[in-house]
């Protein structure tokens, strides 16, 4: 059973590892090795990562106590981070996280959700009723990555 809970500061290292593995093992379907290495380099500023997660205040998905995904919902409807463990893809983790986001959003009165979505995640977001409002190329550490601005309005 998938359980969604609030973020704890002690999750920071595990969420970084999850994000790293997912981008490096899943997003390589749509991005080059150089692009994913720029997106999420091996070395990182631990304190900056912890501060980022404190601001994001993500929801954490677990199966039998193992962290298998995380996502956030900002007050303006932005979904900034949304990652499912690379070894738990297509097992309902993303669906549970998205349903949790919508439930929390309803309670907060959010009527518009939006996100910057990778090529890899676009079909997932479309499945939940998001549509592309723009395409963009962002530069990260000298690499250009294409993604989409997607939104869903209630």
């Amino acid at each position: 059973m998938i359980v969604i809970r609030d973020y704890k500061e002690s999750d920071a290292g595990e969420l970084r590892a999850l994000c790293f593995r997912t981008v490096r093992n899943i997003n390589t379907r749509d991005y080059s090795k150089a692009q994913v290495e720029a997106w999420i380099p091996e070395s990182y500023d631990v304190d900056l990562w912890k501060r980022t997660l404190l601001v994001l205040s993500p929801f954490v998905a677990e199966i039998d106590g193992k962290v298998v995904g995380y996502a956030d919902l900002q007050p303006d409807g932005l979904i900034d981070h949304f990652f499912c463990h690379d070894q738990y893809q297509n097992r309902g983790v993303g669906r549970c996280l998205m349903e949790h986001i919508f439930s929390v959003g309803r309670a907060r009165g959010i009527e518009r959700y939006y996100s910057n979505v990778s090529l890899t995640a676009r079909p997932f977001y479309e499945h939940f009723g998001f549509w592309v409002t723009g395409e963009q190329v962002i530069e990260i550490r000298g690499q250009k990555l294409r993604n989409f601005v997607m939104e869903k309005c209630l």
Side-chain angles (χ1 to χ4, degrees):
M1 181 168 102
I2 300 167
V3 175
I4 307 295
R5 63 167 174 80
D6 291 335
Y7 170 75
K8 300 179 294 196
E9 287 186 52
S10 59
D11 293 324
E14 197 165 2
L15 295 189
R16 170 61 161 103
L18 185 152
C19 181
F20 180 86
R21 286 182 52 113
T22 300
V23 171
R24 292 289 183 99
N25 295 325
I26 300 298
N27 292 93
T28 53
R29 297 175 189 160
D30 300 297
Y31 297 95
S32 71
K33 183 178 183 212
Q35 288 173 316
V36 297
E37 287 174 355
W39 181 351
I40 188 149
E42 286 192 42
S43 63
Y44 69 103
D45 182 328
V46 174
D47 290 331
L48 177 61
W49 176 253
K50 287 179 179 178
R51 286 192 306 272
T52 298
L53 289 176
L54 282 173
V55 170
L56 290 177
S57 189
F59 311 112
V60 178
E62 291 183 336
I63 296 177
D64 296 327
K66 178 173 178 51
V67 174
V68 294
Y70 78 98
D72 72 294
L73 176 62
Q74 298 308 301
D76 66 351
L78 171 66
I79 301 168
D80 192 19
H81 283 212
F82 198 116
F83 293 96
C84 295
H85 193 292
D86 66 313
Q87 294 182 355
Y88 287 83
Q89 300 279 310
N90 301 310
R91 294 190 188 183
V93 175
R95 177 185 47 79
C96 283
L97 281 167
M98 191 64 83
E99 288 172 356
H100 187 77
I101 285 170
F102 291 153
S103 176
V104 169
R106 277 190 300 278
R108 293 179 182 172
I110 293 173
E111 296 181 356
R112 176 182 170 263
Y113 301 87
Y114 68 102
S115 189
N116 295 304
V117 178
S118 69
L119 295 165
T120 313
R122 179 179 171 176
F124 172 80
Y125 275 79
E126 288 174 335
H127 176 78
F128 285 95
F130 285 77
W131 66 91
V132 174
T133 60
E135 187 173 328
Q136 57 191 6
V137 175
I138 58 170
E139 187 167 333
I140 302 173
R141 295 176 190 87
Q143 291 293 313
K144 293 182 179 182
L145 289 80
R146 188 171 135 231
N147 71 13
F148 305 96
V149 178
M150 298 185 75
E151 73 175 48
K152 175 180 178 152
C153 295
L154 304 179

